[in-house]
Short mmCIF file of all heavy atoms in Angstrom, two decimals:
data_model
loop_
_atom_site.label_atom_id
_atom_site.label_comp_id
_atom_site.label_asym_id
_atom_site.label_seq_id
_atom_site.Cartn_x
_atom_site.Cartn_y
_atom_site.Cartn_z
N GLU A 1 7.68 2.98 -8.58
CA GLU A 1 6.73 2.33 -9.52
C GLU A 1 5.38 2.41 -8.94
O GLU A 1 5.15 2.18 -7.76
CB GLU A 1 7.08 0.82 -9.75
CG GLU A 1 8.44 0.67 -10.46
CD GLU A 1 8.72 -0.83 -10.79
OE1 GLU A 1 7.84 -1.51 -11.27
OE2 GLU A 1 9.85 -1.24 -10.46
N VAL A 2 4.38 2.83 -9.70
CA VAL A 2 2.98 2.95 -9.32
C VAL A 2 2.15 2.15 -10.14
O VAL A 2 2.15 2.28 -11.41
CB VAL A 2 2.51 4.41 -9.31
CG1 VAL A 2 1.05 4.57 -8.85
CG2 VAL A 2 3.43 5.32 -8.46
N LEU A 3 1.39 1.23 -9.64
CA LEU A 3 0.35 0.45 -10.36
C LEU A 3 -0.97 0.86 -9.92
O LEU A 3 -1.35 0.97 -8.82
CB LEU A 3 0.57 -1.03 -9.99
CG LEU A 3 1.89 -1.62 -10.53
CD1 LEU A 3 2.86 -1.87 -9.34
CD2 LEU A 3 1.63 -2.87 -11.28
N GLN A 4 -1.85 1.17 -10.99
CA GLN A 4 -3.21 1.56 -10.77
C GLN A 4 -4.10 0.46 -11.46
O GLN A 4 -4.05 0.28 -12.61
CB GLN A 4 -3.48 2.91 -11.40
CG GLN A 4 -2.67 4.03 -10.68
CD GLN A 4 -2.78 5.34 -11.40
OE1 GLN A 4 -2.27 5.50 -12.48
NE2 GLN A 4 -3.50 6.27 -10.78
N PHE A 5 -4.99 -0.16 -10.60
CA PHE A 5 -5.81 -1.27 -11.09
C PHE A 5 -7.14 -0.74 -11.38
O PHE A 5 -7.55 0.27 -10.86
CB PHE A 5 -5.79 -2.39 -10.09
CG PHE A 5 -4.47 -2.98 -9.77
CD1 PHE A 5 -3.69 -2.53 -8.73
CD2 PHE A 5 -4.02 -4.02 -10.62
CE1 PHE A 5 -2.47 -3.08 -8.51
CE2 PHE A 5 -2.73 -4.60 -10.36
CZ PHE A 5 -1.94 -4.15 -9.30
N SER A 6 -7.91 -1.52 -12.21
CA SER A 6 -9.20 -1.11 -12.65
C SER A 6 -10.22 -0.98 -11.49
O SER A 6 -11.21 -0.25 -11.55
CB SER A 6 -9.76 -2.00 -13.71
OG SER A 6 -9.90 -3.26 -13.20
N ASN A 7 -10.00 -1.72 -10.33
CA ASN A 7 -10.97 -1.69 -9.23
C ASN A 7 -10.66 -0.47 -8.28
O ASN A 7 -11.26 -0.38 -7.25
CB ASN A 7 -10.76 -3.01 -8.43
CG ASN A 7 -9.51 -3.24 -7.77
OD1 ASN A 7 -8.57 -2.42 -7.87
ND2 ASN A 7 -9.42 -4.34 -7.01
N GLY A 8 -9.62 0.29 -8.66
CA GLY A 8 -9.33 1.45 -7.82
C GLY A 8 -8.15 1.24 -6.90
O GLY A 8 -7.64 2.21 -6.22
N GLN A 9 -7.64 0.03 -6.82
CA GLN A 9 -6.45 -0.19 -5.98
C GLN A 9 -5.23 0.47 -6.62
O GLN A 9 -5.04 0.38 -7.77
CB GLN A 9 -6.25 -1.74 -5.82
CG GLN A 9 -5.01 -2.07 -5.00
CD GLN A 9 -4.91 -3.57 -4.74
OE1 GLN A 9 -5.91 -4.20 -4.44
NE2 GLN A 9 -3.76 -4.12 -4.90
N ILE A 10 -4.43 1.07 -5.75
CA ILE A 10 -3.11 1.65 -6.17
C ILE A 10 -2.04 1.07 -5.34
O ILE A 10 -2.05 1.07 -4.09
CB ILE A 10 -3.22 3.20 -6.01
CG1 ILE A 10 -4.27 3.78 -6.83
CG2 ILE A 10 -1.84 3.87 -6.36
CD1 ILE A 10 -4.57 5.27 -6.61
N GLU A 11 -0.92 0.65 -5.97
CA GLU A 11 0.23 0.19 -5.32
C GLU A 11 1.42 1.06 -5.66
O GLU A 11 1.63 1.41 -6.82
CB GLU A 11 0.60 -1.27 -5.72
CG GLU A 11 -0.45 -2.24 -5.24
CD GLU A 11 0.00 -3.74 -5.50
OE1 GLU A 11 1.19 -3.96 -5.83
OE2 GLU A 11 -0.89 -4.57 -5.39
N LYS A 12 2.18 1.41 -4.63
CA LYS A 12 3.43 2.14 -4.84
C LYS A 12 4.60 1.31 -4.41
O LYS A 12 4.56 0.85 -3.22
CB LYS A 12 3.42 3.49 -4.02
CG LYS A 12 2.38 4.48 -4.54
CD LYS A 12 2.43 5.74 -3.71
CE LYS A 12 1.38 6.69 -4.24
NZ LYS A 12 1.32 7.95 -3.42
N HIS A 13 5.53 1.00 -5.29
CA HIS A 13 6.72 0.20 -4.92
C HIS A 13 7.92 1.24 -4.91
O HIS A 13 8.27 1.71 -6.02
CB HIS A 13 6.92 -0.81 -5.98
CG HIS A 13 5.76 -1.86 -6.01
ND1 HIS A 13 5.97 -3.22 -6.23
CD2 HIS A 13 4.47 -1.70 -5.89
CE1 HIS A 13 4.81 -3.86 -6.27
NE2 HIS A 13 3.86 -2.91 -6.00
N TYR A 14 8.49 1.42 -3.80
CA TYR A 14 9.55 2.39 -3.65
C TYR A 14 10.90 1.69 -3.94
O TYR A 14 11.07 0.50 -3.74
CB TYR A 14 9.52 2.98 -2.23
CG TYR A 14 8.32 3.85 -1.94
CD1 TYR A 14 7.18 3.28 -1.44
CD2 TYR A 14 8.40 5.22 -2.32
CE1 TYR A 14 6.03 4.07 -1.30
CE2 TYR A 14 7.19 6.00 -2.07
CZ TYR A 14 6.13 5.47 -1.59
OH TYR A 14 4.97 6.20 -1.37
N PRO A 15 11.91 2.48 -4.36
CA PRO A 15 13.21 1.91 -4.66
C PRO A 15 13.84 1.18 -3.47
O PRO A 15 14.61 0.27 -3.68
CB PRO A 15 13.98 3.16 -5.08
CG PRO A 15 13.00 4.21 -5.45
CD PRO A 15 11.78 3.91 -4.61
N ASP A 16 13.59 1.60 -2.20
CA ASP A 16 14.15 0.91 -1.07
C ASP A 16 13.45 -0.37 -0.74
O ASP A 16 13.92 -1.02 0.21
CB ASP A 16 14.18 1.91 0.15
CG ASP A 16 12.79 2.21 0.66
OD1 ASP A 16 11.78 1.71 0.02
OD2 ASP A 16 12.65 2.91 1.65
N GLY A 17 12.46 -0.73 -1.50
CA GLY A 17 11.75 -1.99 -1.23
C GLY A 17 10.41 -1.93 -0.53
O GLY A 17 9.63 -2.89 -0.44
N LYS A 18 10.13 -0.73 0.13
CA LYS A 18 8.82 -0.56 0.76
C LYS A 18 7.69 -0.47 -0.21
O LYS A 18 7.92 -0.08 -1.39
CB LYS A 18 8.88 0.78 1.53
CG LYS A 18 7.60 1.13 2.16
CD LYS A 18 7.62 2.60 2.75
CE LYS A 18 6.22 2.93 3.21
NZ LYS A 18 5.91 4.31 3.23
N LYS A 19 6.57 -1.04 0.18
CA LYS A 19 5.36 -0.95 -0.64
C LYS A 19 4.25 -0.35 0.12
O LYS A 19 4.08 -0.63 1.32
CB LYS A 19 4.98 -2.39 -1.14
CG LYS A 19 5.97 -3.06 -2.02
CD LYS A 19 5.53 -4.43 -2.46
CE LYS A 19 6.64 -5.04 -3.30
NZ LYS A 19 6.28 -6.49 -3.61
N GLU A 20 3.48 0.45 -0.58
CA GLU A 20 2.24 1.07 -0.05
C GLU A 20 1.08 0.68 -0.96
O GLU A 20 1.14 0.99 -2.14
CB GLU A 20 2.47 2.63 0.04
CG GLU A 20 1.17 3.28 0.59
CD GLU A 20 1.35 4.81 0.57
OE1 GLU A 20 2.18 5.33 1.32
OE2 GLU A 20 0.68 5.44 -0.29
N ILE A 21 0.08 0.10 -0.35
CA ILE A 21 -1.16 -0.32 -1.16
C ILE A 21 -2.32 0.45 -0.61
O ILE A 21 -2.56 0.37 0.57
CB ILE A 21 -1.32 -1.77 -1.06
CG1 ILE A 21 -0.14 -2.59 -1.47
CG2 ILE A 21 -2.51 -2.25 -1.89
CD1 ILE A 21 -0.10 -4.03 -1.07
N THR A 22 -3.05 1.10 -1.49
CA THR A 22 -4.27 1.77 -1.18
C THR A 22 -5.39 1.01 -1.81
O THR A 22 -5.46 0.88 -3.03
CB THR A 22 -4.28 3.26 -1.63
OG1 THR A 22 -3.22 3.95 -1.12
CG2 THR A 22 -5.62 3.96 -1.17
N PHE A 23 -6.28 0.34 -1.02
CA PHE A 23 -7.34 -0.47 -1.44
C PHE A 23 -8.49 0.39 -1.87
O PHE A 23 -8.66 1.55 -1.43
CB PHE A 23 -7.72 -1.49 -0.41
CG PHE A 23 -6.59 -2.49 -0.14
CD1 PHE A 23 -5.68 -2.33 0.96
CD2 PHE A 23 -6.41 -3.58 -0.96
CE1 PHE A 23 -4.68 -3.21 1.16
CE2 PHE A 23 -5.37 -4.51 -0.73
CZ PHE A 23 -4.49 -4.29 0.29
N PRO A 24 -9.46 -0.19 -2.62
CA PRO A 24 -10.63 0.60 -3.06
C PRO A 24 -11.42 1.16 -1.88
O PRO A 24 -12.03 2.24 -2.01
CB PRO A 24 -11.47 -0.42 -3.81
CG PRO A 24 -10.50 -1.41 -4.31
CD PRO A 24 -9.41 -1.49 -3.31
N ASP A 25 -11.40 0.51 -0.66
CA ASP A 25 -12.17 1.05 0.45
C ASP A 25 -11.33 2.09 1.20
O ASP A 25 -11.74 2.52 2.29
CB ASP A 25 -12.62 -0.07 1.40
CG ASP A 25 -11.44 -0.73 2.16
OD1 ASP A 25 -10.24 -0.40 1.92
OD2 ASP A 25 -11.65 -1.55 3.05
N GLN A 26 -10.19 2.50 0.67
CA GLN A 26 -9.27 3.52 1.17
C GLN A 26 -8.44 3.01 2.32
O GLN A 26 -7.72 3.76 3.01
CB GLN A 26 -10.01 4.82 1.55
CG GLN A 26 -10.66 5.48 0.33
CD GLN A 26 -9.72 5.61 -0.81
OE1 GLN A 26 -8.67 6.28 -0.75
NE2 GLN A 26 -10.01 5.07 -2.00
N THR A 27 -8.41 1.66 2.66
CA THR A 27 -7.46 1.13 3.59
C THR A 27 -6.10 1.25 2.97
O THR A 27 -5.86 1.03 1.81
CB THR A 27 -7.80 -0.37 3.83
OG1 THR A 27 -8.99 -0.48 4.52
CG2 THR A 27 -6.70 -1.02 4.71
N ILE A 28 -5.12 1.70 3.76
CA ILE A 28 -3.71 1.86 3.28
C ILE A 28 -2.95 0.82 4.05
O ILE A 28 -2.88 0.72 5.29
CB ILE A 28 -3.23 3.27 3.60
CG1 ILE A 28 -4.09 4.27 2.82
CG2 ILE A 28 -1.76 3.36 3.25
CD1 ILE A 28 -3.81 5.71 3.16
N LYS A 29 -2.15 0.00 3.30
CA LYS A 29 -1.31 -0.98 3.86
C LYS A 29 0.08 -0.74 3.44
O LYS A 29 0.43 -0.52 2.28
CB LYS A 29 -1.70 -2.41 3.43
CG LYS A 29 -0.75 -3.48 3.95
CD LYS A 29 -1.22 -4.86 3.51
CE LYS A 29 -1.60 -5.70 4.71
NZ LYS A 29 -2.01 -7.01 4.33
N ASN A 30 1.03 -0.57 4.41
CA ASN A 30 2.46 -0.39 4.20
C ASN A 30 3.21 -1.69 4.53
O ASN A 30 3.03 -2.29 5.64
CB ASN A 30 2.99 0.75 5.10
CG ASN A 30 2.46 2.06 4.72
OD1 ASN A 30 2.66 2.55 3.57
ND2 ASN A 30 1.69 2.68 5.62
N LEU A 31 4.00 -2.17 3.56
CA LEU A 31 4.80 -3.31 3.79
C LEU A 31 6.25 -2.83 3.76
O LEU A 31 6.80 -2.28 2.79
CB LEU A 31 4.60 -4.31 2.67
CG LEU A 31 3.20 -4.78 2.40
CD1 LEU A 31 3.03 -5.55 1.09
CD2 LEU A 31 2.69 -5.60 3.60
N PHE A 32 6.92 -3.02 4.96
CA PHE A 32 8.21 -2.52 5.13
C PHE A 32 9.29 -3.60 4.80
O PHE A 32 9.05 -4.72 4.85
CB PHE A 32 8.45 -2.02 6.57
CG PHE A 32 7.47 -0.86 6.88
CD1 PHE A 32 6.35 -1.09 7.60
CD2 PHE A 32 7.71 0.46 6.54
CE1 PHE A 32 5.48 -0.06 7.92
CE2 PHE A 32 6.91 1.46 6.83
CZ PHE A 32 5.72 1.18 7.49
N THR A 33 10.49 -3.13 4.46
CA THR A 33 11.53 -4.03 4.04
C THR A 33 11.98 -4.98 5.18
O THR A 33 12.51 -6.03 4.88
CB THR A 33 12.77 -3.26 3.52
OG1 THR A 33 13.16 -2.35 4.51
CG2 THR A 33 12.41 -2.56 2.23
N ASP A 34 11.79 -4.56 6.42
CA ASP A 34 12.19 -5.47 7.50
C ASP A 34 11.18 -6.49 7.87
O ASP A 34 11.27 -7.23 8.84
CB ASP A 34 12.57 -4.60 8.77
CG ASP A 34 11.40 -3.85 9.30
OD1 ASP A 34 10.30 -3.94 8.77
OD2 ASP A 34 11.52 -3.09 10.29
N GLY A 35 10.04 -6.55 7.07
CA GLY A 35 8.98 -7.60 7.33
C GLY A 35 7.80 -7.04 8.12
O GLY A 35 6.84 -7.80 8.26
N GLN A 36 7.87 -5.89 8.61
CA GLN A 36 6.77 -5.36 9.41
C GLN A 36 5.67 -4.88 8.37
O GLN A 36 5.98 -4.45 7.28
CB GLN A 36 7.19 -4.26 10.30
CG GLN A 36 8.11 -4.61 11.35
CD GLN A 36 8.45 -3.47 12.33
OE1 GLN A 36 7.65 -2.97 12.96
NE2 GLN A 36 9.81 -3.10 12.34
N GLU A 37 4.46 -4.83 8.92
CA GLU A 37 3.33 -4.35 8.11
C GLU A 37 2.52 -3.34 8.97
O GLU A 37 2.45 -3.49 10.23
CB GLU A 37 2.37 -5.50 7.77
CG GLU A 37 2.92 -6.52 6.80
CD GLU A 37 1.88 -7.55 6.49
OE1 GLU A 37 0.72 -7.34 6.72
OE2 GLU A 37 2.31 -8.65 6.01
N GLU A 38 1.97 -2.41 8.34
CA GLU A 38 1.05 -1.43 9.05
C GLU A 38 -0.17 -1.19 8.06
O GLU A 38 0.01 -0.89 6.89
CB GLU A 38 1.73 -0.12 9.25
CG GLU A 38 0.89 0.90 9.93
CD GLU A 38 1.63 2.26 10.04
OE1 GLU A 38 1.76 2.94 9.05
OE2 GLU A 38 2.00 2.65 11.16
N SER A 39 -1.38 -1.29 8.64
CA SER A 39 -2.63 -1.01 7.86
C SER A 39 -3.31 0.12 8.58
O SER A 39 -3.55 0.08 9.79
CB SER A 39 -3.43 -2.25 7.71
OG SER A 39 -2.88 -3.23 7.05
N ILE A 40 -3.74 1.07 7.84
CA ILE A 40 -4.52 2.20 8.38
C ILE A 40 -5.94 2.04 7.77
O ILE A 40 -6.07 2.25 6.54
CB ILE A 40 -3.90 3.56 8.06
CG1 ILE A 40 -2.48 3.61 8.66
CG2 ILE A 40 -4.76 4.70 8.66
CD1 ILE A 40 -1.67 4.77 8.17
N LEU A 41 -6.92 1.71 8.61
CA LEU A 41 -8.25 1.49 8.07
C LEU A 41 -9.04 2.86 7.92
O LEU A 41 -8.62 3.84 8.54
CB LEU A 41 -9.03 0.62 9.00
CG LEU A 41 -8.29 -0.73 9.35
CD1 LEU A 41 -9.20 -1.60 10.22
CD2 LEU A 41 -7.96 -1.54 8.13
N PRO A 42 -10.04 2.86 7.12
CA PRO A 42 -10.82 4.12 6.84
C PRO A 42 -11.32 4.79 8.12
O PRO A 42 -11.44 6.01 8.22
CB PRO A 42 -11.96 3.73 5.95
CG PRO A 42 -11.46 2.48 5.25
CD PRO A 42 -10.55 1.80 6.24
N ASP A 43 -11.64 3.98 9.17
CA ASP A 43 -12.18 4.59 10.43
C ASP A 43 -11.13 5.08 11.28
O ASP A 43 -11.37 5.50 12.43
CB ASP A 43 -13.04 3.55 11.14
CG ASP A 43 -12.30 2.38 11.71
OD1 ASP A 43 -11.00 2.33 11.54
OD2 ASP A 43 -12.91 1.49 12.34
N GLY A 44 -9.75 4.97 10.91
CA GLY A 44 -8.70 5.45 11.73
C GLY A 44 -8.01 4.37 12.52
O GLY A 44 -6.98 4.62 13.16
#
């Protein structure tokens, strides 16, 4: 499932429960099914 918001945010909800959110500033946040999170900021 992919949600595209008017502010440019995009969320991907995978069948296995993982979520990937791309924010308007291009920060990417991954939410894993085991509770871990990973964010990749625009500066690396």
Side-chain angles (χ1 to χ4, degrees):
E1 295 183 45
V2 179
L3 293 107
Q4 296 173 287
F5 299 92
S6 61
N7 67 356
Q9 179 173 316
I10 298 172
E11 291 186 14
K12 294 180 181 177
H13 298 215
Y14 293 90
D16 66 0
K18 177 188 170 202
K19 293 180 182 174
E20 178 185 291
I21 304 166
T22 303
F23 294 96
D25 70 356
Q26 298 310 301
T27 294
I28 298 171
K29 180 180 239 179
N30 291 299
L31 304 170
F32 299 98
T33 55
D34 63 2
Q36 295 184 64
E37 295 180 18
E38 176 186 76
S39 295
I40 303 167
L41 308 181
D43 69 359

